[in-house]
Amino acid sequence: MKYAPPFHRTNGFLPVLLALFALAVIPLVFTDTYIRHTLILVFIYAILASNWDISLGLGGVVNFAHMAFFAIGLYSYGITVKIFGVDPWIALALAPVLAIVFAALLAIPILRLEGIYVILVTIAAAQLLLQIVVSQSDYTGGTSGMVLLPRLTLGDYRLSSDGRIGYFYLALLLLAASTIFLYKLERSALGRAIKALRDNKYYAIARGVSEGRVRLLTLCASALFPGLAGGFYGAYLRVASPDVFGLGFLTMTLSILLLGGISTIWGSLIAAFVITILAQLLGDYGSWRSIIIALLIIAVVVVYPGGLFAALQEAWGGANRLKTNMLAGYRRRAQASVRAAAMGVEDRLVETRHGRVSVCDTQTGDKAILFIHGNSSAKEVFRHQFEAFRGDYRVVAFDLPGHGVSPNADPEDDYNVEAYAEIVADLVEHLKLGEPVVFGWSLGGYVGLEYAASGGPITALAICGTSPVNKYPDDMPRGYIATPHMELAGKRFHSPSEKTAYATHTIGMKKGLEPLLWQAVWRTDGQAREQAFAKLKTIDWPRQTRLMRDGTLPFAMINGPRDPFINHDYCRSLAYGDIWGGTPQNVGDAGHAPFLEDPETFNAMLRDFLNEVETTRTANVPRETTGAGRAASDPSG
Amino acid sequence: MSSLLKVAGLTKSFGALVAVNDLSFEVQSGEILGIAGPNGSGKSTMFNLISRIPFGADRGTVVFDGQAIERWSDHQITRHGVIRTFQREAVFASMSCIDNILVAIEQTLGKRGREAERLADEASELVGFPRNFHNMHAATMPVFYQKQLMMATAVAQNPRILLLDEPASSLVESEIEWVRETILNLNRRGITILLIEHVLPLLMSVSTRLLVMEQGRIIALGDPAKVIREKQVIEAYLGEPA
Amino acid sequence: MISLDTFFFILASGILLGGLYALMATGLAVVWTTLGVFNFAHGTFVALGAYVAWQVTQSIGGGAGFLLAAALSVIVMFGIGFVLHYVLVKPFERNTNLVLLAVITTLAAASIIENGILIGWGPRDKQITPPIEGSVGFFGASINLYDIVILLVALLTLLALALFLRRTSLGRAMRAAAQNREAAELMGLNVSMLFAITIGLSAATAALAGVFTGSLRFISPTFGADPLMKALVVVILGGVARFTSPIYAAFIVGIAESFSAYFLGLYWAPAVLFAMMIAVLLIKPEGLFGHRSKTL
């Protein structure tokens, strides 16, 4: 089972679409030829750098003859149009073919070499090619190069007319095609084989990867678009000069790749813009320009080896945290009445050792019941329980940090099950809840278990949609069904369609019906998801299962039989000292959130449990004698 | 039963050290041939020579199902169903677990897309590697699951003969039980198995025959219960904690 | 066919080239074997060394000026090399991508030095006046006395470097750091400084090569590119197994270049060298004079 959403369902889709649109519109807005020319150079650098990543990043083959692919495309265009008089379009199509032929030849000496030797032999190969080009001045124009190469035309229309607009769109088209090619390649069988060979050569061969074939294809694939770009460059500038073999050109392209970040397509694209535009802006400073760029490269490599893309992702993460926090702050004030209407009581912020959390508290009643919601949800998920139980109990629910209308908190310290359990303890103390009944749903189930196991004051514990774990991570695949949606639980950034999938599967309801909860998924701090998931491994799980086995605490499991996540057979198979009803209970026909999907059945069941706890406590008789409570619905669930 | 793999005169030297010395034996179709011997006795080197990863033999022949393995290049050997694992848990660290399996299926069987994914699910099921872990990064998995993943990957390649190099190393008792069950289960499905193992109880309980090596040579080969009592074998293991 | 004196003339100029290449390549090889880094700024070290020397000879003429120029150039370049280690290599010496990161930082350094030269000294060609004139006969060919001096000084410098690395405690510490960094650190050696000294020495020998080359031909800001490529070919061809490996290779390259320039023309000579290098890499990747233990 592979979770790999198509590109239009990922978070990258919208920015890419916007960027493409912006680029397509820019020449219509700015008719200045210079801007178009700069952008064309950006596109060419972006193609060169991002395709270099096929060999260098994906393949781990440090090919320093990469610029030779471009040079071959350029000279092949020049020679075929000028010497052989071939049609420019056909010459453009031939350019990548010759680049690929050279790449295939280059693969032969590289095959037996590794590391620095690959760098050296590829430099030598590029220099050899340069020497051949320079020496064959009858065809190549020698050191002075070829000039006045024929340009591209569509019918009678020259692509250079109207301020080079034809060339602009052709270059943009090449960049778009190249990017699609890279994206598909990385996710293809060949892309996997290339990465496998890089990661672990002998293991890859034992898995059937042909080292010779894959390395050959790696180089050929990385030559395709640079060759094409070289041909385009010849048709655009109408000049082919041996400068393209120079160290300066190579350094520029390599810095774009490394600045952008290795093994990301988008990094080199962004860096191509930054560096090329910077170079153009510094154009008046001559040699200082090269020095400034070189210093910048050293600074970035030394200070930020991950590259611009990593920095950008970090910035995006920061912006996302800021956004979710502001959203929470805004809704805390603006939607207070909507929430109060749903819950029957207004919420307020309560200080805990892990920051302030938003709490709904009915205040009245001597016995308290505390509800803990799950991952990417909010306290409003329990609104039916507030309505049903507020007459007899003091009902309390709160938004976990980074959830609902609670502010965001520190990802390292505050976003994990143990911290959440400490928040529960703080609330019990500050709100003077005495020994409450605790109900935890999903991730909140673990919070409840952790709170009880850590010795917090508690009368009874009920969990829902949670598979208890004794050994991590071994019990996770036993306790949960393998579904693609499980992948989303610990994922930091959800795309809109992933948020929708998550919301519909956890809440099990349509958007219009539960706007508050729908919003909660959007509001959740991605770091909270990521951290809570990543830190599951630090929990003292056996302590939790020991608690259930001991049977000293009244304990119930109330699940939805159609829960898409938990494995009911596993839950039933566990050893419980004294579980209410003798086994996990099922609610009607509900899914992951039975208290929301089928509140009547659920509430009745919970009330039975509470009553039994009450009777037991007051009568102080052994609980074994009180029977199985409410008959479970379909036990096969 | 017929001979599936025939090794004759296999020899490999590293400088003055003869790691594998004139090794000859046959593997019957459907058997589990256990391979024991002290560290450095040439067991893993023998696997290397048969799979030609990372090197082939100086002398000698390996015939698999009537065809000389020497005629195939290293990766082609896998396409004929000769599949090996490695002593240390090995994974493609930058890839997800499912991609680890997919790469093997795609490159060995030539299957693609949904078909490949289905085969990967089947292989995981067969060796008990949880599908929940399919999308996790292979490098982040605990050792046991990396071992399971390697086994699932090998099984996904549709092996006719499986060369397992210490699948139980660095595992605890309950996990070794998984190794035993998986080996027996795969063998029931008609896969011939060569098993190098230092965990003797495991080796003794699954092997149909036992081959003991010392200093690159075979010192005993036959019924495990008898072989283990041979004087030479006991001597070879003296001072060598089993 | 060529006459015997022409043959010896070509041979002699090849040997001279070999001496210069040996000086350039040994520095490159020492850094490579010690730090595991290929220094792409090495060619610009040669160029900068030549410019520094040229500057000094402008104020002080004659033989004394030349000697002072050479000495200052070597000292200044040692200092620059020493400092550059802390900027270009040290920040990520434990990064798994060290080889690639060092490639990019040394390329950037090369760009800075080259453009710095352009800013400081302008684009016009310059030449250092050779301090010695006169020539001697060599099998009928006339050889400049200065060329012979250059060759001798180059060889003596390499000998001194070899003795330094083998016989002095500092040299031995540098070799220890190259072989096993962790062990050297445990022994209390300041490995970073040893590495910096290594790059400094490499830059100093490059400077000397620059001074000599600058007194034989014109120098320009881009003058470092050719020495870099030649040093690269030499190092690949000879391998780095022993200190002397690149030195032998340097003479082979020098002589091969000399002859191919004569027979095939100036443009083809580099092509022959690169083809030679690729051929050697294909057949014997460890270099002509190297051994490489095959690891599993």
Side-chain angles (χ1 to χ4, degrees), chain A residues 64 112 116-117 120 128 287 290, chain C residues 32 103 115 118 236 271 282 285:
Chain A
F64 268 53
R112 286 186 52 203
I116 191 107
Y117 289 95
L120 299 176
L128 183 62
S287 295
S290 311
Chain C
W32 183 5
V103 166
N115 285 286
L118 193 61
I236 289 299
L282 276 177

Side-chain angles (χ1 to χ4, degrees), chain A residues 14-29 168-169 172:
Chain A
L14 202 62
V16 166
L17 208 64
L18 284 174
L20 193 65
F21 177 75
L23 289 175
V25 169
I26 281 175
L28 304 177
V29 180
F168 179 90
Y169 282 115
L172 184 58

Side-chain angles (χ1 to χ4, degrees), chain A residues 381-441:
Chain A
V381 78
F382 300 114
R383 60 189 166 86
H384 298 299
Q385 286 66 49
F386 266 70
E387 198 184 335
F389 290 96
R390 64 182 308 167
D392 316 303
Y393 289 89
R394 179 174 177 188
V395 191
V396 182
F398 67 102
D399 288 328
L400 292 168
H403 290 73
V405 292
S406 288
N408 286 351
D410 182 69
E412 278 301 313
D413 296 335
D414 304 333
Y415 288 159
N416 55 73
V417 167
E418 285 124 312
Y420 295 164
E422 286 170 0
I423 291 173
V424 171
D426 284 358
L427 290 180
V428 170
E429 194 189 327
H430 297 340
L431 303 178
K432 300 189 172 54
L433 300 182
E435 291 187 351
V437 174
V438 174
F439 178 88
W441 170 50

Side-chain angles (χ1 to χ4, degrees), chain B residues 81-102:
Chain B
V82 181
I83 306 296
R84 71 168 294 185
T85 65
F86 291 83
Q87 184 182 342
R88 299 244 333 255
E89 55 285 355
V91 289
F92 301 123
S94 73
M95 293 157 66
S96 65
C97 294
I98 180 80
D99 279 359
N100 266 265
I101 307 177
L102 281 179

Side-chain angles (χ1 to χ4, degrees), chain C residues 106-249:
Chain C
T106 55
L107 273 174
S111 168
I112 292 171
I113 294 174
E114 190 178 309
N115 285 286
I117 290 173
L118 193 61
I119 292 167
W121 283 283
R124 292 175 80 178
D125 286 356
K126 306 201 180 333
Q127 196 181 14
I128 301 169
T129 321
I132 303 169
E133 282 172 17
S135 59
V136 293
F138 179 68
F139 292 94
S142 159
I143 312 291
N144 286 330
L145 205 57
Y146 180 53
D147 291 1
I148 296 171
V149 171
I150 288 179
L151 185 63
L152 287 176
V153 173
L155 289 176
L156 283 174
T157 307
L158 294 174
L159 183 67
L161 187 60
L163 287 175
F164 168 75
L165 289 174
R166 273 158 214 278
R167 297 288 156 82
T168 66
S169 58
L170 182 60
R172 277 198 290 266
M174 283 167 62
R175 297 204 307 153
Q179 272 162 22
N180 191 335
R181 196 203 155 108
E182 276 69 31
E185 273 173 349
L186 284 175
M187 284 158 60
L189 296 175
N190 184 347
V191 172
S192 285
M193 197 176 76
L194 293 172
F195 282 179
I197 293 173
T198 308
I199 298 189
L201 285 177
S202 153
T205 52
L208 195 61
V211 174
F212 289 146
T213 317
S215 59
L216 295 174
R217 335 175 167 154
F218 289 109
I219 51 174
S220 69
T222 56
F223 152 74
D226 187 56
L228 175 68
M229 285 304 155
K230 292 295 155 51
L232 188 151
V233 170
V234 167
V235 166
I236 289 299
L237 215 55
V240 289
R242 277 189 299 272
F243 185 78
T244 48
S245 308
I247 299 177
Y248 297 141

